[in-house]
Amino acid sequence: MKILCVLYDDPTNGMPKNYPLSNIPTINQYPDGMTLPSPKSIDFNPGELLGCVSGELGLRKFLEDLGHTLVVTSDKDSDGCAADKELIDADIVISQPFWPYYLTRKRIESAPNLKMAITAGIGSDHVDLQAAMDHKVDVVEVTYCNSRSVAEHIVMMIISMVRDYHNQHAIAKSGGWNIADAVQRSYDVEGMHIGTVAAGRIGLDALRKMKPFDTHLHYFDRHRLPDSIEKELNLTFHESLESMVKVCDVVTINCPLHPETEHLFNDELISKMKKGAYIVNTARGKICDKDAIARAIESGQLSGYAGDVWFPQPAPNDHVWRDMPNNGMTPHTSGTSLSAQARYAAGVREILECFFDKTNIREQYLIVKDGELAGMGAHSYSKGTATGGSEEATKYSK
Ligand code: NAD
């Protein structure tokens, strides 16, 4: 079989000769008891860069020993790109949300042998799920592999935005010492109302992590959490998103991108938010209307916007979020720490082992199966596609 793997570029100066830490902590299970990825074996050292082209998700030996062909490229967007050429006779495509290979209907229809699209990470919105269903291409992801990595990033972003860390660091770095400049937008998080749009694995973990800061916690989700968790965290559940955003100082977005959530944060919803609120979006860029966010930052309706997700990716060099005021954006990194890479590389290997052995892939990993939304796909997505406009990724130049 032919496996096409689309990964992000290597570091500018080549693969690292060594890493800051010689090993990464061992984690035995996820908080709800789900086990970590458990392939029969791995051919990489956890803690190494695996998500870039030379890292190859540690898959080459495994696949070639079984007689399969592995093609790895980062060239994924322009007409005639390497990924499009290799896709035509590929059986399996692996891609990461950080550097998504947008599997549009046109691309899916160019690949008659395609059987499965694996997301090395979480979030399969870069695949036209409707086209995958129509063409019986299964879509799977490594559920939970980086949910807690993202929750850590959310905490970092909430606190750094509210306290205005970026501005203060810039002052220190440039040799300055004007304390008034440094604190004129700086607040404590303590006592604030923090709300999450979706309290799935990431949203709930972010709430748990914010609890010790003595904040008031809110959530909105299509699935209500168990009573015991609501009590444990003293959560306020909202029947509507409008009801939540009007009382929150900080709103963090943690639902998947699918037709129901595309451009959810538009001018209208933002105008209903508490004046001066902050948004932290590590879910998907397209859940927000980018120009509506920029307008709200400009007018002061929002005090700050941070996140690591953009649309499309890579974001065009002139994307308005790159240099709007009071933004704390990073490139899409929260779920691809070296710790997370070890988990999702092992998860991809587990999925491939199941596929070749014809054993069941874990239910929690399924998004589309046999032409229908399945597993987490049925729980967290809606039918249709959210890939429209992804061709704009060609506007980025290195
Ligand atoms: P999850 O499936 O555990 O949780 C998703 C939650 O969203 C579910 O509780 C679901 O009920 C809720 N939801 C779906 N549609 C909704 C809607 N219309 N309104 C309200 N709630 C809705 O997934 P997770 O692990 O928490 O990840 C969530 C998303 O975060 C992923 O789909 C992905 O887009 C994003 N993510 C980003 C990164 C990153 O690196 N930035 C990494 C992992 C995941």
Side-chain angles (χ1 to χ4, degrees), residues 146-147 150 198 201-202 221 223 256 258 260 282 308 332 334-335 380:
N146 55 13
S147 301
V150 177
R201 292 171 179 78
I202 297 175
D221 198 304
H223 300 286
H258 53 92
E260 273 178 22
T282 51
D308 68 330
H332 193 165
S334 65
S380 294

Side-chain angles (χ1 to χ4, degrees), residues 147-148 150-155 158 194-196 198-213 215 217 233 252-254 282:
S147 301
R148 305 194 84 201
V150 177
E152 287 188 11
H153 208 82
I154 292 170
V155 174
I158 292 177
I194 316 275
T196 177
R201 292 171 179 78
I202 297 175
L204 177 57
D205 199 43
L207 290 172
R208 275 224 164 83
K209 286 176 164 46
M210 288 308 296
K211 176 82 178 153
F213 289 92
T215 51
L217 301 175
L233 299 175
T252 160
I253 304 175
N254 297 300
T282 51

Side-chain angles (χ1 to χ4, degrees), residues 16 18-23 47 338:
N18 45 51
Y19 292 87
L21 302 181
S22 48
N23 54 38
L338 295 173

Side-chain angles (χ1 to χ4, degrees), residues 232-269:
E232 172 205 335
L233 299 175
N234 196 18
L235 295 181
T236 304
F237 170 72
H238 293 262
E239 297 282 351
S240 74
L241 186 50
E242 287 75 8
S243 143
M244 186 181 86
V245 299
K246 75 176 188 222
V247 297
C248 285
D249 303 286
V250 180
V251 173
T252 160
I253 304 175
N254 297 300
C255 53
L257 169 64
H258 53 92
E260 273 178 22
T261 61
E262 185 169 335
H263 286 171
L264 193 59
F265 281 75
N266 54 17
D267 285 311
E268 196 191 339
L269 183 67

